Amino acid sequence: MSESLIIEERPTPDIARILLNRPRTRNAQNLDMLRQLDAAFMRAAADDSVKVILLGAEGPDFSSGHDLRKSLDQEPAERFSGVGVSSPGGQGYMAREADVYLGLCRKWRDLPKPTIAQVQGRCIAGGLMLAWVCDLIIASDDALFMDPVVAMGISGVEWFAHPWELGPRKAKELLFTGAAWSAAEAHRLGMVNHVVPQGELASFTLQLAERIAQQPALALKATKEAVNATLDYQGQRNALDYAFNLHHLCHYHNVQTYGSLGDPNGMPSLDKTAKPKDAAE
């Protein structure tokens, strides 16, 4: 049996809690974790007794992003779905990222039940993707949010929701600088719903979920669909697809120029970039 990289809990009969469980890697997301996470989301979505789904993480950090130690092109083709996943070169790699990163994020964003992310510690790059697909985000006061991918020669992560979460100018600042922003700053910008002391994160998130779970399930589903449809009619879906194409243009350029998916001249250490940006400016 493969290692359990996801913990599933039922704190109350109508609330499902899913926890990322790779604390030794700061919950870096490999393919096994993402597949297990998808299965857990689908189980919760299919269970009629579940009205709200929580996404959290074991250990001090929510997620350090995608695990770059094994690229998706090193995985067997049968672990992916979609056209072109077994193709060589950029076509195959783009198809695999479309399946696992863009595709799963879109699938989770459209789950038919309210989802809440509870975020502590660092939430970096691919970690942002997991938090952003949730309907609400609750952060502990020690949380840090960052996307340093531009320094790797890439135009941001695959689920490019930055302008929708932060507004265009602050999205550009986050990406251009690679700086880490505090929970207070994320809350000020509207990306985070609430900031609570680290020791109260789980209890506060559960209390909020319990309040939401008191509402009729159909009304919750319809309300979520209405808000998501509003974003799509404003152009979010098309914009995400366009940004994904640019992401892979950067990959192609780096492979042609440097022989790797990222620019080896960038990639600053997290110690240099993870200085919190507060709302004091």
Side-chain angles (χ1 to χ4, degrees):
M1 183 179 296
S2 61
E3 180 185 8
S4 178
L5 306 178
I6 296 295
I7 297 173
E8 297 177 72
E9 301 176 341
R10 192 65 67 85
T12 70
D14 51 7
I15 296 173
R17 182 159 55 205
I18 302 169
L19 299 173
L20 309 179
N21 188 35
R22 294 188 79 201
R24 287 179 293 180
T25 67
R26 299 185 182 274
N27 293 308
Q29 304 162 34
N30 61 12
L31 183 58
D32 288 330
M33 170 183 272
L34 292 172
R35 291 301 190 203
Q36 290 182 30
L37 177 58
D38 182 52
F41 270 137
M42 293 306 103
R43 282 189 288 269
D47 188 335
D48 290 338
S49 67
V50 172
K51 297 184 70 177
V52 182
I53 304 170
L54 308 184
L55 176 63
E58 290 286 280
D61 294 300
F62 180 74
S63 178
S64 58
H66 295 147
D67 192 336
L68 302 179
R69 291 174 294 183
K70 187 175 184 181
S71 174
L72 294 183
D73 57 3
Q74 297 175 297
E75 297 283 356
E78 57 268 20
R79 301 200 65 192
F80 301 89
S81 61
V83 176
V85 296
S86 60
S87 300
Q91 180 184 354
Y93 192 76
M94 185 173 183
R96 291 177 180 216
E97 283 207 342
D99 172 31
V100 176
Y101 296 151
L102 181 64
L104 287 182
C105 281
R106 182 162 281 153
K107 180 181 180 182
W108 299 335
R109 178 257 199 183
D110 290 332
L111 287 172
K113 299 175 181 180
T115 55
I116 307 176
Q118 58 177 55
V119 178
Q120 80 280 2
R122 292 181 180 182
C123 181
I124 302 172
L128 290 172
M129 294 168 57
L130 296 187
W132 284 344
V133 297
C134 293
D135 300 307
L136 306 178
I137 300 176
I138 312 302
S140 63
D141 52 11
D142 70 334
L144 293 174
F145 301 90
M146 64 184 303
D147 184 3
V149 180
V150 169
M152 301 166 61
I154 308 296
S155 56
V157 290
E158 294 84 356
W159 181 257
F160 194 84
H162 311 66
W164 304 90
E165 297 288 346
L166 301 168
R169 285 191 172 82
K170 298 303 285 188
K172 290 173 185 176
E173 182 183 350
L174 180 76
L175 288 161
F176 290 171
T177 65
W181 286 0
S182 68
E185 175 74 349
H187 179 262
R188 186 182 73 83
L189 295 171
M191 191 188 91
V192 165
N193 294 87
H194 299 277
V195 179
V196 299
Q198 199 279 335
E200 300 174 15
L201 179 62
S203 60
F204 182 94
T205 306
L206 181 58
Q207 289 172 11
L208 179 61
E210 289 173 333
R211 180 174 179 177
I212 294 170
Q214 295 174 12
Q215 309 295 341
L218 177 58
L220 290 172
K221 177 178 182 292
T223 300
K224 176 171 180 173
E225 287 184 4
V227 174
N228 285 358
T230 300
L231 293 172
D232 287 340
Y233 280 119
Q234 290 174 341
Q236 187 186 64
R237 183 182 183 92
N238 289 338
L240 286 166
D241 287 340
Y242 184 83
F244 184 72
N245 291 337
L246 290 175
H247 176 94
H248 279 275
L249 172 62
C250 292
H251 274 322
Y252 177 80
H253 169 78
N254 291 328
V255 169
Q256 293 296 309
T257 306
Y258 307 111
S260 61
L261 292 169
D263 183 342
N265 299 307
M267 305 184 185
S269 71
L270 294 181
D271 288 337
K272 293 180 181 178
T273 58
K275 297 176 182 179
K277 175 181 176 59
D278 294 314
E281 59 180 0

